[in-house]
Amino acid sequence: MSSVSLPAGIEPSGPRPRHVTATRIGIYAFLLIAALFFLIPLIVMIMTSMKSMSEIRGGNIFALPMQPTLDYWVKAWSSACTGRDCYGLAPGFFNSVKITVLSVPVSIVIAMINGYALSFWRFRGSELMFAILLFGAFVPFQVLVYPIIFGLSRVGLFGTLPGIVIVHTIFGMPILTLLFRNFFASLPVELFKAARVDGAGFWRIFFSVMLPMSVPITIVAVILQVTGIWNDFIFGLVFAGRENMPMTVQLNNIVRTSTGTVEYSTNMAATVLTGAVPLIVYFVSGKWFVRGIAAGAVKG
Amino acid sequence: MSTSVEIKDLSLNYGTVTVLDRLNLEVGKGEFIVLLGPSGCGKSTLLNCIAGLLDISAGQIFISGKNVTWDEPKDRGIGMVFQSYALYPQMTVEKNMSFGLRVAGMPKPEVDARVKRAAEILQLESLLQRKPVELSGGQRQRVAIGRALVRDVDVFLFDEPLSNLDAKLRNDLRVEIKRLHHRLKNTMIYVTHDQIEAMTLADRIAIMKNGVIQQLADPHTIYNKPTNLFVAGFIGSPSMNFIRGDLTGGALNIDGASIPLANYEFKAPMNGAAVLGVRPEHVVVGEEAQKMPFQVESEIEIVEPMGADTIAWTKLGGQSLTFRADAEVRLVPGQKVLIGFDPGRGSVFNGESGERI
Amino acid sequence: MMIVAIGVFVIGITFTVVLSFTNSKLFPSFNFVGWRQYEILWSTPRWVQSVTNIWFYGFGHIVLCMGVGFALAVAMDQRIRGEDAFRTIFLYPFALSAVITGLVWQLMLDPIWGFQAFVRSLGFADFTFAPLANGETALIGMIVASVWNGVGVTMAILLAGLRGIDEEIWKAARVDGIPAWRTYVSIVVPMMRGAVATALVLLVVNVVRTFDIVIAMTGGGPGIATQMPATYVIDNINSRNVGHGMAAATCMLAPIAVLIIIQAVFRWRASRRGRTTS
């Protein structure tokens, strides 16, 4: 906006007149096109899951379903085949629920205590421990997969529910500890000192002072863990065993099992069902989810 | 003195919240105006409106006779200095000062000449190749001033420039800004919440509250003839004593005493609830008090020795009264002393409206 | 418990590195064979292809995420209407697992049902966009899908970085008459080094781990066109060639180690600079 030459007789007064500039249009156009790119796969996924196979063959993926049906959702849920078994996704769903419900509280409680200890109780080697934990956040899982398989089978937990819970807890540890440590480190030290002067010990301070203040960060951690564990594929694939296979693994198996032409209706119905839980968490939690990303983003 | 900056009926609303309310202000060429007030009074907002950094809701702004209401900040002929310095961190001092000029396409010799002059005025020559992180707070603020200086403009705007500095540096830089004003003779509009800065720097002070200028006057008038209770209480440390009473027949009646106001110059004489404002340093003690039109015996409650002088707390007609005594006068709590003052030097306000009468 | 977790990381990595020098099959043996596994590894075409793939994929993914993410962040920073709605849309794919991402994009890019068929049905009979069907372009399809999934995070981090810039810097630049684009390029971006570094580190870490999306989208094919180091490691564990798999896993640690060294150097330099000025 350079100084506009005005017709004689008009004295500038009040707010600047708003011009719809080309830049402004460009920005909105860019954002809208981007939004379209992000939304289309979701729309296609949902629409396809409601179309019959003949309709998919006849039309195109962007067309609205002419006779919307939830038959494929039912099939995906209860009777789609993975290999020889035809129980649908339902067992996977309940396995994922079990794994998530057990892993989330365990990992968060431990990480919370760790973060608290690391930020307020300096002990010998606490810096080193933190550095190693930080390093752990970077290590590719595949590097550790075999040693953990070996270790878990030694104690008879490989392929069991406790086994997969332990794995999630260990791998959730770096990022969660970091999250809590950064949160506790942002609290004023005076709070901690005042409690110590009052004679409170490690646990007393934790339960009466720190815990009540950590509600927001705990919500962030829960969201992070629920979506993370629900979406996990590789740990479930390797460690859960046939009995506890999570939904994502089962989804992949169903899709891989299709014989002949790919039955996209069922596949997409199964995909929608698997994605529903994290999507609901995301849309309900909104800004908390964004905070989780910002907080979980490893700070250099 | 011709007008440099003129503000006509300027209003700024955010939705239903009024930040500035039909404000008028005329600043003479070469004048140093300080906008003073508590936080949230709209002083920084007003400065940002003058700079063109905020879009106003109504009114007009003229700078050097030109209507700049719709102009971009760069076209208004202003330079601005910010509280956080707002230096470009990855550029050297020289680049910080020259960046705007180079972007505007000014020929290099001209840019160099201007930077050289600004550096010389602000004694930054030896720091030109440093980056902001390598400078002290005071040096950074000098660079920020330099960045405004090279723009070669008529009007300088300062937005709390010294607030981030410690007390010692603040005093030094304050004097430097004053010296700069004497040398450059530019119009300067300066926002602060620090009354010492305002009193020492300003040709005129505009005291603001709730988006309205309460009083616009030279420091002496502001201090001695405050226009209302707010201005009277805001300026001065320790703050002015307010004695509430009933004004009848040219005297203020309070609990157990009557203060004669015979030699006070009333603007608008009245009867009824009124407040007498007395500066702590206008209250005297002991022998001197005997010469005063109003005298009273009172008991010292608390004493605060400040070194150069002593602040003492006492009561007058049940109301708290502080006064400033010479450090040589020995005062102890519980002691009964004679205090006195000349009500004619004080200020009388309407007890209801708070306006000076 | 913290000690257990740390123990798992330290012992696990040590174990992996040690096993990479043995000829362990299904169970760990301590029959040391020196660098033999590494020699075999680097002469195995599938591994070499995996490494080439991850460079190509990683480069594409990171460049696109940074570029598109930054463009989105800047656009979002222009006091636009509906910012929350846009943010929700850009970020939701990240809430979905990589498996789902892979499956949806497999459908989108399917030559018979997907985008190509749609454009052809509009009358462009020769239109071709089916990257997954062809070994030479399959990675491009994967990049599109992974950028769709992850670019929202890059945008969120960079946007937070933009918002963290002192408001007065923008004011100063406006008074100086510096155009907005120039302010971004010359002043704001250099000030966001922290946010850029964070976004980059996350992208690199995620690229090295790439596994789920490969399995869901292509299963590594066509042929070995989309094999990645991570799939190679898991396959070797499954096919009872642990020593060899561990050698591959150890190689996967290398880029992470480089990253950490770079970070340590930056920290050291920052702390040195901090000392000289204070």
Side-chain angles (χ1 to χ4, degrees):
Chain A
M1 263 185 285
S2 57
S3 49
V4 263
S5 58
L6 293 159
I10 293 185
E11 265 297 287
S13 172
R16 291 190 183 102
R18 291 190 188 283
H19 301 288
V20 183
T21 57
T23 333
R24 221 61 210 143
I25 296 171
I27 288 166
Y28 278 106
F30 172 62
L31 286 172
L32 287 172
I33 289 169
L36 214 58
F37 168 74
F38 284 98
L39 280 176
I40 279 177
L42 183 66
I43 296 168
V44 165
M45 179 161 75
I46 293 171
M47 286 195 317
T48 307
S49 74
M50 294 177 163
K51 289 177 188 169
S52 66
M53 277 314 288
S54 58
E55 198 184 329
I56 293 180
R57 278 190 210 100
N60 70 64
I61 52 167
F62 301 114
L64 285 171
M66 282 178 292
Q67 292 152 317
T69 166
L70 288 180
D71 292 354
Y72 295 97
W73 290 44
V74 177
K75 185 180 175 193
W77 177 255
S78 55
S79 65
C81 296
T82 60
R84 280 158 287 143
D85 308 325
C86 293
Y87 304 120
L89 273 173
F93 173 80
F94 292 111
N95 286 336
S96 278
V97 169
K98 268 189 267 176
I99 295 171
T100 309
V101 165
L102 287 173
S103 308
V104 170
V106 172
S107 57
I108 287 180
V109 166
I110 294 171
M112 195 188 271
I113 298 169
N114 286 350
Y116 162 66
L118 280 171
S119 45
F120 286 115
W121 299 83
R122 301 285 152 137
F123 47 90
R124 270 179 69 103
S126 64
E127 288 288 316
L128 180 71
M129 276 196 177
F130 185 64
I132 294 174
L133 224 45
L134 205 69
F135 173 69
F138 292 112
V139 175
F141 314 127
Q142 292 80 12
V143 176
L144 289 166
V145 160
Y146 184 74
I148 295 178
I149 295 177
F150 184 69
L152 284 179
S153 25
R154 268 300 184 77
V155 292
L157 290 175
F158 179 65
T160 64
L161 190 60
I164 179 85
V165 170
I166 289 174
V167 170
H168 276 304
T169 306
I170 288 172
F171 280 96
M173 204 54 48
I175 204 77
L176 288 180
T177 306
L178 203 69
L179 189 73
F180 280 106
R181 195 203 82 119
N182 287 348
F183 171 74
F184 286 125
S186 73
L187 295 179
V189 197
E190 286 73 20
L191 203 69
F192 171 75
K193 285 184 179 160
R196 284 208 81 182
V197 170
D198 286 343
F202 183 94
W203 292 109
R204 192 65 202 274
I205 297 176
F206 179 69
F207 283 110
S208 3
V209 183
M210 298 302 167
L211 210 54
M213 298 189 73
S214 339
V215 174
I217 197 75
T218 308
I219 296 176
V220 169
V222 168
I223 293 167
L224 203 70
Q225 278 298 80
V226 168
T227 48
I229 292 175
W230 192 275
N231 287 338
D232 155 65
F233 177 73
I234 185 168
F235 295 146
L237 183 72
V238 176
F239 294 102
R242 290 184 57 81
E243 298 304 308
N244 307 298
M245 213 177 266
M247 208 171 180
T248 47
V249 176
Q250 209 145 18
L251 166 69
N252 189 54
N253 288 351
I254 287 176
V255 172
R256 297 281 149 241
T257 302
S258 342
T259 47
T261 49
V262 191
E263 202 179 59
Y264 273 119
S265 307
T266 317
N267 290 354
M268 285 303 119
T271 310
V272 171
L273 287 172
T274 312
V277 170
L279 270 189
I280 289 167
V281 171
Y282 172 67
F283 285 117
V284 171
S285 62
K287 291 226 156 133
W288 292 95
F289 187 87
V290 183
R291 274 187 62 181
I293 290 171
V298 186
K299 294 203 178 75
Chain B
M1 193 157 53
S2 61
T3 309
S4 170
V5 177
E6 187 181 5
I7 291 156
K8 280 185 185 167
D9 289 325
L10 187 147
S11 290
L12 179 68
N13 313 308
Y14 292 119
T16 55
V17 184
T18 304
V19 186
L20 297 173
D21 194 10
R22 276 163 296 143
L23 198 140
N24 286 284
L25 179 67
E26 261 186 55
V27 182
K29 198 163 166 48
E31 196 177 12
F32 199 122
I33 287 272
V34 172
L35 305 177
L36 177 67
S39 55
C41 71
K43 56 190 191 298
S44 273
T45 310
L46 174 58
L47 197 73
N48 278 290
C49 288
I50 298 172
L53 293 167
L54 282 175
D55 217 3
I56 62 176
S57 306
Q60 294 176 316
I61 299 167
F62 294 83
I63 293 176
S64 305
K66 182 177 155 227
N67 186 338
V68 296
T69 313
W70 290 348
D71 285 355
E72 273 294 293
K74 69 177 162 72
D75 304 320
R76 294 189 174 206
I78 52 146
M80 192 159 175
V81 178
F82 298 89
Q83 178 178 356
S84 68
Y85 325 126
L87 298 181
Y88 312 135
Q90 67 290 342
M91 297 184 189
T92 60
V93 169
E94 183 184 8
K95 280 194 84 182
N96 257 289
M97 292 202 279
S98 63
F99 192 54
L101 304 180
R102 285 187 292 122
V103 168
M106 183 180 282
K108 196 166 184 318
E110 170 76 14
V111 174
D112 290 346
R114 286 196 186 187
V115 170
K116 190 161 173 287
R117 174 169 169 269
E120 179 249 315
I121 292 174
L122 294 162
Q123 292 150 28
L124 289 168
E125 289 113 321
S126 60
L127 305 174
L128 281 176
Q129 296 314 318
R130 299 255 188 103
K131 289 202 174 168
V133 283
E134 300 163 317
L135 303 177
S136 69
Q139 290 169 333
R140 282 181 212 185
Q141 198 50 292
R142 293 219 305 269
V143 177
I145 295 172
R147 197 168 56 184
L149 209 60
V150 294
R151 292 176 51 72
D152 212 7
V153 290
D154 304 326
V155 180
F156 274 27
L157 307 176
F158 293 87
D159 194 357
E160 307 228 15
L162 307 183
S163 295
N164 280 8
L165 300 172
D166 61 44
K168 167 93 174 64
L169 265 174
R170 204 156 30 200
N171 291 344
D172 295 350
L173 217 61
R174 202 175 67 210
V175 175
E176 230 169 290
I177 290 176
K178 190 154 193 165
R179 199 172 285 143
L180 192 70
H181 182 237
H182 279 302
R183 174 163 176 181
L184 299 173
K185 300 197 167 47
N186 288 39
T187 308
M188 294 190 175
I189 304 180
Y190 186 107
V191 165
T192 182
H193 62 264
D194 181 319
Q195 46 171 305
I196 309 279
E197 275 172 38
M199 296 294 287
T200 52
L201 288 171
D203 292 326
R204 284 194 297 161
I205 299 174
I207 297 204
M208 293 182 66
K209 183 195 170 193
N210 297 339
V212 175
I213 295 179
Q214 305 288 317
Q215 184 170 14
L216 173 64
D218 62 280
H220 185 82
T221 309
I222 293 262
Y223 191 78
N224 293 297
K225 295 211 162 17
T227 183
N228 58 28
L229 275 174
F230 173 77
V231 175
F234 190 78
I235 286 279
S237 173
S239 55
M240 190 183 254
N241 293 296
F242 291 135
I243 303 158
R244 290 183 177 273
D246 192 46
L247 188 63
T248 37
L252 188 76
N253 298 306
I254 57 169
D255 223 8
S258 176
I259 304 170
L261 291 168
N263 63 343
Y264 179 78
E265 289 173 30
F266 278 100
K267 248 167 55 183
M270 58 161 267
N271 286 332
V275 179
L276 170 66
V278 180
R279 293 269 174 217
E281 60 270 30
H282 292 165
V283 179
V284 291
V285 66
E287 275 176 32
E288 276 183 78
Q290 290 170 2
K291 299 174 216 152
M292 288 294 161
F294 178 75
Q295 313 159 13
V296 70
E297 179 94 350
S298 73
E299 189 184 317
I300 303 288
E301 289 180 337
I302 299 171
V303 177
E304 291 183 314
M306 311 289 277
D309 46 26
T310 300
I311 310 292
W313 300 66
T314 177
K315 283 250 155 63
L316 173 60
Q319 303 181 48
S320 175
L321 183 88
T322 53
F323 65 90
R324 194 190 286 267
D326 194 290
E328 293 305 308
V329 182
R330 304 293 290 177
L331 294 168
V332 286
Q335 183 186 0
K336 294 243 196 282
V337 291
L338 184 73
I339 56 168
F341 55 84
D342 176 5
R345 290 184 75 184
S347 303
V348 186
F349 305 98
N350 182 322
E352 264 126 46
S353 68
E355 293 301 314
R356 184 183 186 88
I357 53 176
Chain C
M1 187 62 207
M2 176 164 43
I3 297 182
V4 173
I6 288 173
V8 170
F9 286 114
V10 173
I11 297 170
I13 290 170
T14 316
F15 199 64
T16 297
V17 174
V18 169
L19 285 187
S20 73
F21 293 104
T22 69
N23 64 353
S24 305
K25 291 299 173 195
L26 175 57
F27 294 104
S29 76
F30 293 94
N31 193 0
F32 288 94
V33 293
W35 295 95
R36 184 86 190 103
Q37 297 285 17
Y38 290 90
E39 282 160 22
I40 298 171
L41 185 68
W42 288 100
S43 56
T44 307
R46 202 189 127 183
W47 170 257
V48 176
Q49 176 79 42
S50 297
V51 173
T52 322
N53 284 349
I54 204 157
W55 275 110
F56 181 83
Y57 166 82
F59 182 79
H61 179 75
I62 291 171
V63 166
L64 275 175
C65 276
M66 288 305 278
V68 177
F70 184 72
L72 286 173
V74 168
M76 294 277 281
D77 200 29
Q78 306 304 311
R79 291 161 205 260
I80 52 153
R81 278 163 199 271
E83 186 189 319
D84 283 346
F86 279 118
R87 188 204 310 273
T88 307
I89 292 171
F90 297 155
L91 216 47
Y92 89 86
F94 185 69
L96 294 171
S97 83
V99 176
I100 294 176
T101 305
L103 294 178
V104 174
W105 279 95
Q106 191 192 17
L107 167 62
M108 297 281 295
L109 301 176
D110 186 308
I112 304 165
W113 313 115
F115 187 66
Q116 172 178 306
F118 169 70
V119 177
R120 284 189 183 177
S121 75
L122 295 178
F124 304 94
D126 294 332
F127 178 81
T128 308
F129 186 70
L132 295 184
N134 186 329
E136 279 166 24
T137 53
L139 279 173
I140 294 173
M142 250 172 69
I143 291 172
V144 172
S146 66
V147 168
W148 176 80
N149 181 274
V151 72
V153 179
T154 311
M155 181 223 46
I157 294 169
L158 294 179
L159 184 59
L162 285 176
R163 295 272 157 88
I165 303 284
D166 181 2
E167 188 91 21
E168 293 195 333
I169 288 278
W170 277 102
K171 289 183 176 180
R174 260 186 91 186
V175 171
D176 266 353
I178 298 159
W181 69 267
R182 190 75 200 263
T183 311
Y184 274 114
V185 173
S186 304
I187 298 164
V188 171
V189 173
M191 282 178 82
M192 310 183 12
R193 262 185 225 145
V196 172
T198 304
L200 263 180
V201 167
L202 281 187
L203 286 171
V204 171
V205 169
N206 285 335
V207 163
V208 177
R209 282 173 183 173
T210 306
F211 178 82
D212 304 9
I213 200 168
V214 181
I215 300 298
M217 208 168 173
T218 63
I224 55 168
T226 54
Q227 288 292 348
M228 294 284 164
T231 58
Y232 188 86
V233 172
I234 299 291
D235 285 353
N236 271 287
I237 295 173
N238 284 340
S239 61
R240 309 180 173 188
N241 197 358
V242 167
H244 189 70
M246 291 305 102
T250 306
C251 290
M252 279 178 73
L253 263 181
I256 302 298
V258 170
L259 211 63
I260 286 169
I261 291 168
I262 291 174
Q263 200 193 356
V265 169
F266 267 104
R267 277 223 176 142
W268 177 72
R269 269 181 43 183
S271 71
R272 248 188 43 172
R273 196 185 304 157
R275 229 172 296 142
T276 50
T277 53
S278 61

